[in-house]
């Protein structure tokens, strides 16, 4: 999942062959994949010849596909541009020179410059600015001397560097897809095949899915074949039942997915403590015991994530230090190079992730795994790469999170971090009880209309700000940072989360009349320190918003939350998420799809 801390590039691919109208099935699939990136999109269908429609902007309706005839097979793509502007020419799929096939790609061809100049020399022409077209021309060049297109795709794919997944449609309706990095899954149903970046997109059509692994390709010509790309050997097809019961993509009466998902926070916390929270892999509840055993004996414990998950990783490390007395350290997926030489077989790395496909985290985990580091993951998408490569794979069972801004999954991740820390402390029951109470308190909070009204009123005020500061200490520092991420993502307003005590060392220069400062205060040993800071910013004219159980002097606005003791930080994220939501609504922004960011980042 993403925050604002790094660039995001990704997209979704979808392929279909069967008795239904391909454009309709693909369009519906793309809509379900749109959370992955949405600057432009395209669909190609095969009816003896290939017809193609490409559009800029969000996935549209069938009436935008008038140029496509009824057809039984096709592929589609929703793009998040990495190479070349957002334009119809650069949108996928891309035609081969003789229009005998089209191709769409998820990822980045890291050696595309080199490949392009070689192909240039051979006389191949390029119409777009994308790295994708290099793959198309490379396949064409391979086709000159191999027996069939499948073989040309295989050979070309082996020459690509970087994390890539491609899908190819031929004019006679065959589909070939290959994976190295970005996700690829397949579903079959009575003569129909679905290929996609995630199982959610074809959930209405199938009950089982085949996960195509890195280094594998699938080939459809009325029958599905799975191949190892390097050896060209046929592999057995292994379909897994996917838990689709939570896969309904519906706002269920809410105005936006974001508010629906915040409302599901009590549910996701209860999932952690309920029987349903089992290993993603084998349903083994003793997984927790084995994991905690490993956690205690590990030499170094790292937590890792990107964006919002990076902040969750930091809070998980906090809980491990406080309750389990384990010296855990958190790292950001995109910025860990200096640790590589330090990693070894006695270490443990914990990765919370919504999608389980975040490219920069996956890359680090792969390196760590090679060095013998044990991997634990806490992911929300069943069957994801991260879950499958983990020694300890925990599933969040939080249900689909459609809004690009993560809310319920962040809450789930930090609540899980609290829970594992309590198990390691030897106080599992107390941990469960505290989470149960927390879920009830959050439920009450969210069901009380006056809480929403107070935050809406504040959102109206804050939506006019140029900068917003957020201060917190100890258990609340990461919470203010996540509040910062949510405000930036939803409102496009500059926000700055600072450890409360550090403010006086630099950002105090920015405190002047009317500057909004949100302070999160809990009834813990740091309360007085934080209230001192309230006085310092107040003395310089700041407008102080306090999120705390009791109102304190110096607060201009008070957002009242229950004191839930050890879990207070988890309680405190809820009003911040609501604030970000109501600010985005107030500003008229696209709440569920903020500009420039995508849900999960499957390329580096
Ligand atoms: N590199 C390709 C492009 O820029 C695909 C990016 C993506 O995965 O969305 O078009």
């Amino acid at each position: 999942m993403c925050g604002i801390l790094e660039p995001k590039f990704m997209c979704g691919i979808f392929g279909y062959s069967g008795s239904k109208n391909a454009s309709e099935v693909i369009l519906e699939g793309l809509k379900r994949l749109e959370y992955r990136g949405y600057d432009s999109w395209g669909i190609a269908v095969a009816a003896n010849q290939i017809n193609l429609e490409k559009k800029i902007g969000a996935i549209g309706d069938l009436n935008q596909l008038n140029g496509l005839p009824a057809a039984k097979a096709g592929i589609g793509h929703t793009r998040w541009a990495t190479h070349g502007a957002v334009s119809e020419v650069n949108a996928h799929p891309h035609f081969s020179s003789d229009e005998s096939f089209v191709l769409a790609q998820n990822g980045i061809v890291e050696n595309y410059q080199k490949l392009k100049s070689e192909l240039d020399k051979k006389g191949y022409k390029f119409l777009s600015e994308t790295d994708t077209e290099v793959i198309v021309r490379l396949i064409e060049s391979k086709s000159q001397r191999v027996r069939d297109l499948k073989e040309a795709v295989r050979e070309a794919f082996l020459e690509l560097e970087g994390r890539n997944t491609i899908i190819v449609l031929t004019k006679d309706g065959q589909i070939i897809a290959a994976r190295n990095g970005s996700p690829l899954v397949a579903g079959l149903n009575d003569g129909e095949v679905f290929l996609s970046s995630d199982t959610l997109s074809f959930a209405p059509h199938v009950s089982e899915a085949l996960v195509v692994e890195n280094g594998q390709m699938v080939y459809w010509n009325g029958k599905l074949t799975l191949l190892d790309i390097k050896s060209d050997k046929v592999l057995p097809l292994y379909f897994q039942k996917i838990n689709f019961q939570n896969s309904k993509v519906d706002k269920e009466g809410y105005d936006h997915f974001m508010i629906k998902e915040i409302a599901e926070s009590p549910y996701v916390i209860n999932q952690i403590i309920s029987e349903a929270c089992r290993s993603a892999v084998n349903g083994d509840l003793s997984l927790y015991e084995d994991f905690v055993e490993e956690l205690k004996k590990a030499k170094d414990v790292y937590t890792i994530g990107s964006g919002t998950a990076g902040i969750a990783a930091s809070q998980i490390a906090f809980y491990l230090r406080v309750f389990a007395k384990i010296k855990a350290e958190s790292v950001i997926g995109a910025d860990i190079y200096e640790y590589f030489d330090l990693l070894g077989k006695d270490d443990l790395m914990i990765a919370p992730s919504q999608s389980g496909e975040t490219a920069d985290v996956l890359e680090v985990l792969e390196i760590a795994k090679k060095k013998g580091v044990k991997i634990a993951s806490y992911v929300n998408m069943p069957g994801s790469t991260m879950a499958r490569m983990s020694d300890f794979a925990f599933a969040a069972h939080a249900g689909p999170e459609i809004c690009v801004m993560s809310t319920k999954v962040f809450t789930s991740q930090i609540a899980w971090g609290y829970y594992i820390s309590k198990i390691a402390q030897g106080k599992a029951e107390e941990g469960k009880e505290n989470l149960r109470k927390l879920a009830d308190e959050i439920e009450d909070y969210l069901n009380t209309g006056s809480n929403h009204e107070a935050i809406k009123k504040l959102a109206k005020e804050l939506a006019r700000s140029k900068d917003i500061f957020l201060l917190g200490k100890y258990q609340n520092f990461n919470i203010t940072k996540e509040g910062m991420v949510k405000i930036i993502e939803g409102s496009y307003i500059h926000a700055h989360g600072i450890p409360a005590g550090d403010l006086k060392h630099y950002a105090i220069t920015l405190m002047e009349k009317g500057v909004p400062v949100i302070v999160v205060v809990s009834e813990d040993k740091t309360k007085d320190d934080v209230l001192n800071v309230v006085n310092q910013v107040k003395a310089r004219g700041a407008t102080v918003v306090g999120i705390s159980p009791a109102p304190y002097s110096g607060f201009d606005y008070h957002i009242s939350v229950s004191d839930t003791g050890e879990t207070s930080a988890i309680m405190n994220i809820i009003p911040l998420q609501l604030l970000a939501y109501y600010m985005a609504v107030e500003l008229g922004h696209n709440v569920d799809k903020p500009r420039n960011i995508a849900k999960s980042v499957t390329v580096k």
Side-chain angles (χ1 to χ4, degrees):
M1 84 197 58
C2 307
I4 42 77
L5 306 177
E6 60 198 271
K8 318 288 182 295
F9 340 98
M10 59 178 313
C11 70
I13 55 178
F14 197 94
Y16 171 77
S17 169
S19 54
K20 301 193 182 88
N21 182 1
S23 339
E24 262 175 62
V25 178
I26 296 167
L27 188 70
E28 183 208 315
L30 289 186
K31 281 197 170 147
R32 286 170 164 255
L33 285 171
E34 209 186 2
Y35 72 91
R36 301 172 58 83
Y38 42 83
D39 58 38
S40 50
W41 57 286
I43 294 179
V45 295
N48 296 322
Q49 62 169 37
I50 295 176
N51 292 277
L52 174 61
E53 285 276 359
K54 305 205 263 190
K55 308 280 172 202
I56 292 174
I59 315 290
D61 294 317
L62 267 183
N63 60 23
Q64 282 190 269
L65 298 175
N66 291 338
L68 296 184
K72 301 291 166 226
I75 62 172
H77 182 267
T78 160
R79 181 176 186 228
W80 204 101
T82 69
H83 290 61
V86 176
S87 65
E88 267 181 33
V89 178
N90 288 337
H92 305 210
H94 291 272
F95 259 128
S96 64
S97 308
D98 63 358
E99 303 201 347
S100 63
F101 71 89
V102 275
L103 178 146
Q105 170 216 9
N106 178 5
I108 293 174
V109 180
E110 285 176 4
N111 57 335
Y112 92 103
Q113 294 282 21
K114 181 174 160 278
L115 293 173
K116 191 170 182 179
S117 65
E118 286 164 10
L119 290 160
D120 260 335
K121 277 184 211 136
K122 289 186 188 160
Y124 286 96
K125 295 273 169 285
F126 293 87
L127 308 173
S128 77
E129 304 155 305
T130 60
D131 50 340
T132 319
E133 213 185 351
V134 172
I135 314 174
V136 178
R137 304 289 169 251
L138 189 61
I139 294 171
E140 288 175 32
S141 90
K142 299 285 176 195
S143 300
Q144 305 294 318
R145 41 162 208 81
V146 294
R147 60 179 192 273
D148 58 20
L149 187 69
K150 172 165 67 66
E151 180 58 15
V153 170
R154 191 181 77 82
E155 287 191 10
F157 196 75
L158 282 170
E159 288 188 23
L160 306 182
E161 286 171 18
R163 306 175 86 86
N164 286 289
T165 290
I166 59 168
I167 189 161
V168 174
L169 171 76
T170 66
K171 65 178 181 200
D172 56 357
Q174 297 177 47
I175 302 177
I176 307 160
R179 171 184 182 178
N180 181 31
S182 311
L184 178 64
V185 284
L188 284 181
N189 177 35
D190 203 14
E192 291 178 301
V193 70
F194 300 84
L195 293 160
S196 177
S197 305
D198 77 12
T199 49
L200 188 64
S201 60
F202 55 58
H205 304 282
V206 300
S207 57
E208 290 185 332
L210 164 84
V211 178
V212 181
E213 302 281 355
N214 286 336
Q216 295 180 346
M217 64 193 274
V218 278
Y219 170 53
W220 172 261
N221 61 346
K223 180 176 158 269
L224 191 70
T225 311
L226 179 70
L227 293 164
D228 177 80
I229 300 177
K230 242 193 207 132
S231 66
D232 201 18
K233 286 227 168 69
V234 175
L235 301 167
L237 298 177
Y238 173 59
F239 282 84
Q240 307 172 19
K241 266 230 157 316
I242 302 278
N243 179 3
F244 286 134
Q245 77 208 26
N246 284 325
S247 299
K248 222 168 91 202
V249 181
D250 186 342
K251 290 198 212 90
E252 290 164 19
Y254 289 93
D255 288 343
H256 301 96
F257 282 110
M258 184 174 181
I259 188 70
K260 169 182 177 272
E261 287 157 8
I262 295 173
E264 288 167 352
S265 307
Y267 164 80
V268 306
I269 294 171
N270 279 320
Q271 284 290 80
I272 297 167
I273 45 185
S274 77
E275 285 257 298
C277 189
R278 293 160 183 256
S279 154
V281 171
N282 57 11
D284 181 4
L285 280 174
S286 70
L287 186 73
Y288 271 104
E289 281 160 35
D290 297 346
F291 168 60
V292 168
E293 208 48 43
E294 198 66 43
L295 190 60
K296 284 184 180 160
K297 68 171 203 253
K299 183 173 148 281
D300 291 320
V301 174
Y302 298 94
T303 61
I304 181 168
S306 292
T308 285
I311 297 173
S314 183
Q315 188 71 358
I316 294 169
F318 169 86
Y319 286 134
L320 286 171
R321 294 192 296 269
V322 169
F323 299 112
K325 304 292 175 215
I326 289 170
K327 209 170 104 239
E329 190 174 347
S330 69
V331 286
I332 293 298
D335 198 11
I336 181 187
Y337 291 96
E338 74 273 27
Y339 287 88
F340 286 157
D341 289 342
L342 305 176
L343 300 175
K345 66 174 181 21
D346 299 324
D347 299 338
L348 175 71
M349 198 170 266
I350 304 173
S353 171
Q354 198 288 131
S355 64
E357 303 290 351
T358 318
D360 46 24
V361 175
L362 275 179
E363 191 171 282
V364 175
L365 294 181
E366 276 158 17
I367 293 169
K369 207 173 164 71
K370 278 203 191 106
K371 289 173 174 273
V373 176
K374 295 263 181 338
I375 309 292
S377 61
Y378 183 70
V379 303
N380 195 35
M381 290 299 267
S384 61
T385 308
M386 226 177 266
R388 281 176 291 112
M389 73 183 293
S390 299
D391 300 284
F392 303 96
F394 295 92
H397 292 296
E401 190 178 61
I402 304 299
C403 176
V404 170
M405 288 189 263
S406 177
T407 53
K408 66 172 177 177
V409 170
F410 174 78
T411 307
S412 170
Q413 289 166 342
I414 61 174
W416 177 79
Y418 169 74
Y419 183 47
I420 57 166
S421 306
K422 291 299 282 183
I423 303 177
Q425 189 192 15
K427 295 191 173 173
E429 280 314 307
E430 188 180 286
K432 261 192 204 169
E433 199 38 45
N434 287 343
L435 286 177
R436 214 169 268 133
K437 281 193 200 135
L438 170 73
D440 288 347
E441 290 293 345
I442 295 179
E443 178 106 57
D444 276 355
Y445 182 85
L446 289 168
N447 286 336
T448 307
S450 55
N451 290 331
H452 290 263
E453 288 316 311
I455 294 181
K456 258 189 223 167
K457 200 169 139 232
L458 180 64
K460 254 191 175 34
E461 296 280 321
L462 293 187
R464 293 199 300 266
S465 315
K466 204 168 137 281
D467 307 289
I468 297 172
F469 293 84
L470 297 102
L471 307 178
K473 192 178 170 94
Y474 189 60
Q475 60 178 318
N476 289 317
F477 171 56
N478 288 311
I479 300 308
T480 50
K481 245 182 110 184
E482 176 55 10
M484 164 192 91
V485 168
K486 289 287 92 76
I487 289 173
I488 294 176
E489 285 180 319
S491 315
Y492 322 148
I493 291 175
H494 171 249
H496 188 166
I498 320 176
D502 214 29
L503 177 103
K504 60 181 172 293
H505 295 290
Y506 62 108
I508 193 124
T509 57
L510 304 173
M511 293 300 123
E512 55 188 16
K513 194 169 169 3
V515 169
V517 177
I518 300 173
V519 187
V520 184
V521 195
S522 288
E523 297 294 321
D524 61 28
K525 58 187 173 199
T526 66
K527 183 177 90 182
D528 292 341
D529 288 353
V530 182
L531 292 177
N532 274 338
V533 180
V534 169
N535 290 333
Q536 291 164 12
V537 299
K538 199 66 215 149
R540 284 152 185 92
T543 301
V544 178
V545 177
I547 298 178
S548 62
Y552 291 105
S553 77
F555 289 179
D556 296 286
Y557 292 84
H558 178 225
I559 301 294
S560 169
V561 285
S562 308
D563 176 7
T564 61
E566 286 180 356
T567 61
S568 292
I570 312 171
M571 178 79 226
N572 293 338
I573 193 59
I574 305 294
L576 284 169
Q577 291 172 344
L578 282 183
L579 178 64
Y581 170 70
Y582 286 120
M583 283 174 72
V585 172
E586 173 67 25
L587 290 161
H589 290 172
N590 190 344
V591 177
D592 288 328
K593 293 173 193 163
R595 69 186 184 197
N596 298 345
I597 57 170
K599 182 82 187 150
S600 69
V601 190
T602 57
V603 294
K604 263 212 317 169

